[in-house]
């Protein structure tokens, strides 16, 4: 699982708006399919889109 999180962190560094809006303002959720990474369960990772994020919370 550490490799999966590193890959996700690298992708988020390049695309901080990656993910779907959640019910909470400023929070995006990225789903990781467990089938894509060996020995990793399916994960839902929530990220905070701060003032530098380009998505607006409307």
């Amino acid at each position: 699982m550490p490799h999966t999180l590193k890959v996700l962190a690298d992708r988020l560094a390049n695309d901080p708006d990656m993910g779907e809006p959640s019910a909470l303002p400023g929070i995006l959720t990225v789903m990781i399919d467990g089938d894509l990474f060996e020995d990793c369960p399916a994960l839902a990772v929530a990220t905070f889109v701060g003032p530098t994020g380009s998505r607006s919370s409307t």
Side-chain angles (χ1 to χ4, degrees):
M1 187 161 70
H3 172 71
T4 305
L5 295 176
K6 181 180 179 337
V7 170
L8 178 59
D10 289 343
R11 290 192 61 194
L12 285 169
N14 293 322
D15 183 9
D17 289 334
M18 181 177 141
E20 296 296 322
S22 73
L24 301 171
I27 304 292
L28 299 177
T29 302
V30 178
M31 298 298 294
I32 299 173
D33 185 350
D35 293 336
L36 295 176
F37 292 93
E38 187 176 323
D39 297 329
C40 181
L43 299 172
V45 179
T47 60
F48 174 72
V49 180
T52 58
S54 61
R55 278 197 188 176
S56 62
S57 54
T58 55

